[in-house]
Amino acid sequence: MSASAENTHAFQAEVKQLLHLMIHSLYSNKEIFLRELISNAADACDKLRFEAIRSPELLADDPDLAISITLDAEKRRIVIEDNGIGMNREEVIENLGTIARSGTREFLSSLSGDEKKDAALIGQFGVGFYSAFIVAEQVEVDSHRAGEDSAVLWRSAGDGEYTLDAGQRTQRGTTITLHLREDDAEFVQDYRVRGLVKKYSDHISVPVKLIGEGENGEVTVDTVNQSSALWRRSKSDITQEQYDEFYTYVSHDSDKPLAHSHNRVEGKTEYTSLLYVPSRRTFDLWDRDKARGVKLFVKRVFIMDDAQAMLPNYLRFVRGVIDADDLPLNVSREILQSDRTVETIRAGSTKKVLGMLNMLAEDNEKYATFWAAFGAVLKEGVIEDHGNAEAIARLLRFSSTANDGDEQSVALSAYVERQKDKDAPIYFLVADSMAAGRRSPHIEGLLADGHEVLLLTEPVDEWLAAHLTEFEGKPLKNAAHVDSKTAENEDGDDAVDEQYRDVSARIASLLKDKVSDVRVSKRLVNSASCLVSPEGELGEHVKQMLRDAGHDVPPEQKILEINPTHPLVIRLANLDDKDRFSSWSLMLYEQAVLAAGGALETPTEFLARVNEAILAGA
């Protein structure tokens, strides 16, 4: 086998799909390639700074980190070079040949067919390097890992294979050479590249230098970007456009953020934060194993990309930078978890984000966008962050029986403000869907009396309801619990209660293995029966989550309520036939199970009982 054949490798299947997308689909968003390659080069410089904290010798021979871009119009060639951390052979194969770890499958499954939206996902999914093939017919990567003896050269035409050979670099860093297609010669024009660097990379913390040729043939070096820490500058010196451009850099999201908060905190603990609320969720928002968080700097020195300890988990959608003055440069993730300075920064940053969301909530349209993307995540804060639970509760939005649609737009404060009975609690119902909630027998009496009921349909809602027991001193009450107040028959009818007390006892005796009690309902208007839980009983979603986590959940027998005004119950009370009484009692229970979204153990037997009742009525 020849040496050339030995050095040739096939791309992973997902990489081949990705390359096909880059080459054939994203032709209207070609310019993003430069943004992604410069961003990767800046990351390599940041990683070198971080490793040099423990190993200063890595930086000693070349301490001035920079990125350079050399243009060759005659050969249609762009060379992007950095003196960052570099890669060895194993890292080149891992980073440039096999990228399932970077979310490629999720990326490919998320494509919409909209070129602009698809292009915006590239950096977010960690596949930014491959954007080079949007404009290049061949790409070469010559990389030398800091602290190692040799370089490696990676080449590919984006045709399903790549080669690996010995590289030419003698010093650490990476050189990427793009051989452009004829149709993409615009990207070797000086003015075009300058404009793109200013547009996408102006605030990268290392200088981006454009290498050119002067009038007399001499080499010129011009720093194109500001190469200053934007977050350290005065707010009055930064435009909204610059804030938005920096957001694109830290988030790899080309959509504008919904809001930002830029703060300098001085005193016992000093730090600067620049935090953003995105306008859409990332693909990995619900991936619990995904490392996430803001970028952490210490005195402008990059420490880590995903400092999870700087904000609570329910704010994991926030993007941005925190630059601390009082942390050691060699801070580790373990230290971050227990450091008092970090606790202070975390508490302060959390309040800033919640304050930013409060301001955002004043714009109904923008807040609706935020809530659709991140509302379910924010609800976790009531459960996790008791100190800020009241502030978070003011930011929550719900669906309601007062609205015709399913949108979650009702604030708790708005619910309280329009209550007719100011002494009534805040009523809510947990349901599998909006339609099921609106048709639930549990809220019939409440609606008949003019009460509004909040409808909670997301998996986190039962956890939320267990922790959010009051709002501004007003209790929250589950309409499906046994002591929920209803106005229908509120004072009771002694004659009716006495008449049906015996019926309830007979039904309870027959259903003793299925329910804990049978009672005359004060809540039902149209339905014949319903199942209710004791106050404080865990909901079905919570129980299932506990079971999935391996916990033992004790069985619960609900209470069956019957409606004494319903024809079926009236007919049942007058039945002398014991077998039919037993059959119809069981049917009342099964109807209640179905109305609550449950499943029957023997559906065919239920259908037989329904048919029997229909024939008896006929």
Side-chain angles (χ1 to χ4, degrees):
M1 182 180 291
S2 68
S4 176
E6 290 177 353
N7 292 339
T8 300
H9 304 262
F11 281 118
Q12 180 190 29
E14 287 81 14
V15 179
K16 292 181 182 179
Q17 290 179 261
L18 186 63
L19 288 172
H20 187 272
L21 169 76
M22 298 298 178
I23 296 169
H24 299 288
S25 300
L26 297 177
Y27 50 83
S28 68
N29 291 279
K30 293 183 176 183
E31 65 184 36
I32 64 169
F33 82 92
L34 192 60
R35 176 192 75 191
E36 294 302 319
L37 295 181
I38 292 176
S39 180
N40 287 350
D43 287 345
C45 292
D46 283 339
K47 289 173 182 175
L48 177 63
R49 281 197 189 108
F50 180 63
E51 289 202 15
I53 295 170
R54 294 181 176 83
S55 305
E57 68 277 6
L58 296 179
L59 197 57
D61 61 339
D62 188 12
D64 298 324
L65 299 175
I67 301 166
S68 68
I69 303 174
T70 305
L71 307 177
D72 188 334
E74 184 178 344
K75 295 182 179 180
R76 295 200 312 275
R77 186 171 65 189
I78 301 177
V79 179
I80 302 170
E81 186 171 10
D82 69 73
N83 57 345
I85 192 67
M87 295 179 285
N88 57 30
R89 182 184 177 93
E90 290 72 25
E91 289 169 330
V92 165
I93 294 173
E94 180 182 11
N95 293 328
L96 306 186
T98 305
I99 54 174
R101 64 178 184 85
S102 298
T104 314
R105 289 187 179 90
E106 291 88 345
F107 172 74
L108 293 169
S109 66
S110 298
L111 298 180
S112 63
D114 183 319
E115 291 178 18
K116 186 170 291 187
K117 291 181 180 178
D118 293 347
L121 292 172
I122 288 173
Q124 180 181 311
F125 276 82
V127 294
F129 167 77
Y130 293 94
S131 62
F133 288 97
I134 297 174
V135 296
E137 59 189 10
Q138 182 167 314
V139 178
E140 299 169 1
V141 179
D142 190 355
S143 195
H144 189 143
R145 185 61 156 85
E148 300 195 8
D149 296 330
S150 60
V152 59
L153 178 63
W154 180 99
R155 287 194 187 97
S156 179
D159 54 2
E161 294 181 337
Y162 63 92
T163 61
L164 290 175
D165 292 294
Q168 302 299 312
R169 284 190 68 106
T170 57
Q171 293 184 313
R172 65 158 202 268
T174 299
T175 302
I176 299 177
T177 303
L178 308 183
H179 300 273
L180 302 183
R181 297 186 182 87
E182 187 173 352
D183 292 344
D184 298 312
E186 63 178 287
F187 294 109
V188 290
Q189 301 300 317
D190 182 280
Y191 78 93
R192 186 76 164 101
V193 172
R194 285 178 185 271
L196 292 178
V197 173
K198 293 291 290 183
K199 178 178 180 180
Y200 292 120
S201 310
D202 199 35
H203 307 298
I204 284 178
S205 60
V206 293
V208 179
K209 300 179 179 182
L210 192 58
I211 312 298
E213 185 175 318
E215 293 182 0
N216 300 320
E218 75 278 9
V219 175
T220 62
V221 180
D222 186 11
T223 298
V224 186
N225 67 326
Q226 293 196 39
S227 66
S228 63
L230 179 87
W231 60 90
R232 286 279 187 169
R233 290 161 51 189
S234 170
K235 289 189 280 188
S236 61
D237 295 336
I238 307 172
T239 66
Q240 183 60 51
E241 183 180 13
Q242 289 172 323
Y243 275 123
D244 291 346
E245 288 169 356
F246 187 73
Y247 168 75
T248 298
Y249 165 63
V250 297
S251 68
H252 294 285
D253 180 3
S254 59
D255 286 356
K256 290 183 178 180
L258 290 172
H260 75 269
S261 177
H262 187 188
N263 300 280
R264 172 66 184 168
V265 178
E266 297 179 338
K268 187 175 181 180
T269 300
E270 297 190 352
Y271 63 95
T272 301
S273 65
L274 176 51
L275 305 173
Y276 294 88
V277 175
S279 58
R280 63 176 176 179
R281 70 178 63 172
T282 56
F283 75 102
D284 56 5
L285 186 66
W286 300 107
D287 183 357
R288 293 186 174 275
D289 297 327
K290 169 69 177 178
R292 54 172 60 84
V294 296
K295 289 180 178 286
L296 176 63
F297 288 74
V298 173
K299 297 176 182 177
R300 303 191 190 190
V301 176
F302 172 78
I303 302 299
M304 64 184 70
D305 261 325
D306 44 19
Q308 293 175 274
M310 307 309 288
L311 283 171
N313 192 49
Y314 69 90
L315 296 180
R316 59 185 176 272
F317 54 84
V318 172
R319 295 291 178 264
V321 168
I322 291 178
D323 190 345
D325 292 352
D326 303 318
L327 289 174
L329 287 174
N330 62 349
V331 65
S332 65
R333 294 187 187 276
E334 291 72 26
I335 293 174
L336 288 178
Q337 296 296 331
S338 58
D339 189 272
R340 288 187 176 181
T341 299
V342 172
E343 291 177 7
T344 301
I345 297 174
R346 175 188 174 103
S349 299
T350 298
K351 290 188 181 300
K352 289 297 182 184
V353 173
L354 295 179
M356 180 168 41
L357 294 179
N358 262 316
M359 294 182 64
L360 186 63
E362 296 175 6
D363 185 322
N364 291 335
E365 184 176 347
K366 283 188 175 181
Y367 200 72
T369 299
F370 162 77
W371 189 258
F374 306 113
V377 182
L378 188 63
K379 288 178 181 178
E380 296 174 9
V382 175
I383 304 165
E384 299 173 4
D385 189 354
H386 300 294
N388 289 305
E390 186 78 13
I392 298 168
R394 286 193 287 270
L395 295 166
L396 301 182
R397 296 295 182 267
F398 301 94
S399 295
S400 164
T401 55
N403 294 346
D404 293 333
D406 292 345
E407 70 278 2
Q408 298 183 25
S409 59
V410 177
L412 291 175
S413 57
Y415 178 104
V416 171
E417 185 177 346
R418 60 177 175 244
Q419 274 186 308
K420 296 176 182 177
D421 181 0
K422 297 303 181 182
D423 294 327
I426 299 171
Y427 291 112
F428 69 89
L429 179 71
V430 178
D432 290 332
S433 67
M434 297 297 177
R438 293 182 189 280
R439 294 195 301 264
S440 173
H442 295 107
I443 65 174
E444 291 175 356
L446 292 170
L447 297 182
D449 194 49
H451 290 286
E452 179 180 356
V453 181
L454 302 176
L455 303 174
L456 284 60
T457 59
E458 294 179 327
V460 71
D461 283 337
E462 286 185 346
W463 287 106
L464 172 69
H467 290 81
L468 186 62
T469 56
E470 65 174 40
F471 175 72
E472 296 181 351
K474 186 178 282 286
L476 274 74
K477 288 291 184 180
N478 191 335
H481 282 170
V482 72
D483 70 342
S484 293
K485 175 183 175 184
T486 62
E488 184 70 17
N489 268 340
E490 181 182 340
D491 297 327
D493 184 321
D494 291 340
V496 171
D497 287 350
E498 184 65 31
Q499 179 183 356
Y500 284 91
R501 190 167 292 129
D502 178 60
V503 175
S504 300
R506 290 172 63 194
I507 297 174
S509 177
L510 291 167
L511 301 179
K512 61 184 178 181
D513 294 333
K514 300 183 181 298
V515 298
S516 61
D517 196 8
V518 179
R519 300 177 185 176
V520 177
S521 180
K522 308 293 185 182
R523 81 183 75 221
L524 295 173
V525 176
N526 301 313
S527 300
S529 61
C530 70
L531 290 169
V532 298
S533 300
E535 188 72 19
E537 181 69 28
L538 294 177
E540 292 304 320
H541 287 136
V542 175
K543 290 179 181 178
Q544 190 56 52
M545 291 170 68
L546 290 172
R547 293 188 192 102
D548 292 343
H551 298 288
D552 292 329
V553 179
E556 174 219 352
Q557 287 191 326
K558 294 181 182 289
I559 297 166
L560 178 68
E561 290 191 359
I562 58 173
N563 180 2
T565 67
H566 193 279
L568 182 59
V569 177
I570 294 172
R571 182 78 180 273
L572 181 65
N574 295 312
L575 274 179
D576 293 327
D577 186 323
K578 291 183 179 180
D579 291 339
R580 186 171 292 179
F581 186 93
S582 174
S583 177
W584 284 25
S585 296
L586 189 54
M587 185 170 61
L588 275 179
Y589 165 76
E590 291 169 326
Q591 286 181 349
V593 171
L594 292 174
L600 300 179
E601 295 179 6
T602 54
T604 54
E605 293 181 11
F606 168 70
L607 293 175
R609 280 186 279 274
V610 171
N611 291 335
E612 177 194 356
I614 293 173
L615 292 173

